[in-house]
Amino acid sequence: MKYVLLLIATILFAAPASAEDYEKGPNGGLMLDVAGIDAELMTAGNTVTFNIFVPNTPKPVSTKGYTAAVLIAGSGGRETVTLAPQGENSLKGEAKNPIAAGTTITLTIKTAEGKSGQAKFKK
């Protein structure tokens, strides 16, 4: 009986950890569901870009009317960067310093429909 309870407890505690598993986005970046959309993180040098898609599909979503910001936290400190719509389905911003491996990037986003959410990415 103890083993059954231990097994059930292990499964229950393990389930929430798998809820934040990253998907691989259409462009090869880390992707998470947030505010009813899929957000794919892409970084290059100082640039942070989020590509926005319909959940579970590679279909782009227009970012017109979206507002977003990221908190970049790493060994170089913390920085908040405002993201602006770029192209058809992207939100883009420039950090002061290059974004290193191991950096945590927390996205706060509000869609044109008024849905808001937050997601944490570990680069």
Side-chain angles (χ1 to χ4, degrees):
M1 183 67 167
K2 285 183 188 180
Y3 296 110
V4 172
L5 291 175
L6 181 61
L7 179 63
I8 292 171
T10 302
I11 292 170
L12 289 175
F13 286 114
S18 64
E20 284 295 307
D21 287 343
Y22 299 113
E23 296 175 40
K24 186 175 182 179
N27 300 299
L30 300 175
M31 191 163 65
L32 288 174
D33 178 50
V34 57
I37 49 93
D38 278 347
E40 177 189 25
L41 170 65
M42 305 292 290
T43 61
N46 298 21
T47 304
V48 178
T49 304
F50 279 92
N51 298 312
I52 309 301
F53 299 97
V54 173
N56 304 311
T57 72
K59 182 179 178 189
V61 172
S62 172
T63 53
K64 183 178 179 182
Y66 278 50
T67 56
V70 290
L71 173 63
I72 301 169
S75 60
R78 299 166 64 108
E79 178 183 0
T80 301
V81 175
T82 301
L83 304 177
Q86 177 80 24
E88 180 186 343
N89 71 313
S90 297
L91 298 164
K92 187 175 183 178
E94 295 289 327
K96 293 177 186 169
N97 299 307
I99 301 163
T103 299
T104 300
I105 299 173
T106 305
L107 169 68
T108 303
I109 191 167
K110 184 175 181 183
T111 68
E113 295 79 27
K115 291 183 181 180
S116 61
Q118 192 173 60
K120 188 180 286 190
F121 295 80
K122 183 86 171 188
K123 182 175 180 242

